[in-house]
């Protein structure tokens, strides 16, 4: 766990990166432009999930130019959950924002979510006017429906990469492979409040989606069974006093 004594950073932005060499500089610039002058302190954590293109080189160049950027390199491709969790664990922010590196989510939308923090612990983005293929939209809708049916939850867009939550939520998480898809549900299971807020969605400009529809549907179904089982056995209590 990253050291967090003394004054904390206000916001940590975490983005997993896998073979995104065409998007990395635009990603960095978009986050920086969105945050600079609008928040008292921030850091950007870019987690290289074993990329095989020039992503590692570009990430190191950015980190050398800007001390607010932290880069984590995995030895090999461990998957999105591992990358998300590594970013969270190595962050120092009072608040943690998650987004993808493909630039389909807009870091400016962090400020759509931020006004809810204080009375809400976890704010989940809800993509409107999605710029995806019809197959991907249908798959996502079915996947969300199945996950909600199995877990008993009511999250409209649990797969939205744009999320904002408090340090307390982050410290309550213990993730296993595939659980990045269930962060709002896990936050609820740990006793935190969750709300969904609409965010924008953009077309991918560079690279290709790593989304494998059939594989992800099957894996997501199996993961949902695990979450549903855990939800029935979660321990919550209040001390009288």
């Amino acid at each position: 766990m990253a050291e967090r004594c003394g004054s904390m950073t206000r916001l940590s932005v975490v983005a997993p990166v896998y073979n995104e060499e065409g998007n990395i500089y635009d990603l960095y610039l978009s986050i920086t432009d969105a945050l600079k002058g609008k928040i008292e302190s921030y850091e950007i954590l870019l987690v290289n999930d074993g990329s095989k293109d020039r992503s590692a080189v570009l990430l190191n160049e950015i980190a050398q130019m800007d001390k607010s950027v932290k880069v984590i390199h995995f030895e090999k491709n461990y998957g999105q959950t591992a990358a998300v969790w590594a970013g969270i664990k190595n962050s120092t922010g009072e608040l943690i924002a998650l987004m993808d590196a493909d630039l389909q989510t807009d870091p400016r939308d962090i400020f759509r979510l931020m006004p809810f923090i204080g009375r809400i612990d976890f704010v989940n983005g809800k993509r409107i006017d999605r710029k995806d293929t019809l197959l991907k939209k249908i798959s996502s809708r079915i996947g969300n429906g199945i996950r909600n049916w199995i877990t008993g939850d009511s999250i409209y867009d649990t797969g939205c990469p744009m999320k904002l939550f408090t340090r307390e939520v982050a410290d309550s998480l213990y993730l296993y492979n595939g659980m990045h898809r269930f962060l709002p549900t896990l936050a609820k299971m740990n006793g935190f409040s969750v709300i969904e807020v609409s965010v924008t969605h953009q077309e991918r400009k560079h690279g290709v989606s790593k989304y494998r529809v059939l594989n992800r549907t099957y894996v997501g179904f199996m993961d949902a069974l695990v979450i549903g089982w855990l939800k029935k056995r979660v321990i919550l209590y209040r001390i009288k006093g």
Side-chain angles (χ1 to χ4, degrees):
M1 187 69 71
E3 186 68 29
R4 292 194 292 269
C5 58
S7 60
M8 291 180 68
T9 305
R10 177 58 178 162
L11 175 69
S12 299
V13 179
V14 174
V17 175
Y18 181 60
N19 292 343
E20 294 285 0
E21 64 180 6
N23 289 315
I24 286 175
Y25 268 102
D26 286 344
L27 173 69
Y28 162 70
L29 292 173
S30 68
I31 297 174
T32 302
D33 290 345
L35 300 183
K36 193 167 271 188
K38 300 182 183 68
I39 193 162
E40 54 267 33
S41 58
Y42 67 88
E43 62 180 2
I44 304 170
L45 291 97
L46 303 175
V47 185
N48 176 23
D49 185 17
S51 296
K52 297 176 182 178
D53 60 3
R54 296 184 66 250
S55 293
V57 174
L58 299 178
L59 289 170
N60 288 338
E61 289 177 356
I62 292 171
Q64 289 177 356
M65 290 189 308
D66 188 342
K67 297 303 180 184
S68 66
V69 176
K70 299 179 181 178
V71 175
I72 299 169
H73 294 288
F74 284 175
E75 292 181 347
K76 62 179 183 178
N77 178 232
Y78 287 104
Q80 191 169 354
T81 303
V84 166
W85 200 28
I88 291 173
K89 289 200 300 178
N90 285 277
S91 68
T92 63
E94 297 173 351
L95 303 176
I96 297 96
L98 301 183
M99 62 178 293
D100 277 353
D102 58 15
L103 292 175
Q104 289 195 266
T105 46
D106 190 335
R108 292 176 294 184
D109 281 341
I110 292 171
F111 295 101
R112 288 192 181 200
L113 311 186
M114 196 159 304
F116 296 90
I117 294 292
R119 57 189 179 88
I120 301 294
D121 305 303
F122 189 111
V123 188
N124 195 73
K126 180 170 65 175
R127 290 167 288 189
I128 55 175
D129 190 22
R130 287 186 62 172
K131 307 298 184 182
D132 284 324
T133 64
L134 179 61
L135 177 61
K136 191 170 179 180
K137 290 178 184 177
I138 294 173
S139 175
S140 179
R141 182 65 61 89
I142 293 173
N144 279 312
I146 291 174
R147 281 191 288 268
N148 285 334
W149 173 60
I150 294 175
T151 64
D153 215 334
S154 57
I155 303 298
Y156 175 82
D157 192 7
T158 186
C160 179
M162 178 62 66
K163 306 176 190 296
L164 181 70
F165 47 93
T166 64
R167 170 56 54 188
E168 290 73 22
V169 172
D171 288 344
S172 78
L173 297 174
Y174 192 95
L175 302 185
Y176 291 90
N177 193 30
M179 287 191 178
H180 68 278
R181 303 184 188 94
F182 299 90
L183 292 179
T185 300
L186 292 172
K188 284 186 178 181
M189 287 168 56
N190 290 339
F192 295 101
S193 55
V194 175
I195 194 174
E196 287 188 279
V197 174
S198 296
V199 296
T200 57
H201 195 243
Q202 304 171 85
E203 292 184 9
R204 174 185 270 275
K205 294 181 180 179
H206 304 287
V208 296
S209 173
K210 315 307 183 295
Y211 196 99
R212 296 190 297 269
V213 174
L214 294 178
N215 178 64
R216 196 173 221 177
T217 300
Y218 171 75
V219 172
F221 174 76
M222 299 305 295
D223 291 340
L225 291 176
V226 174
I227 297 294
W229 183 85
L230 289 173
K231 189 174 181 182
K232 292 178 181 179
R233 287 155 179 80
V234 67
I235 298 173
L236 291 175
Y237 57 87
R238 294 180 183 273
I239 297 176
K240 185 178 179 180

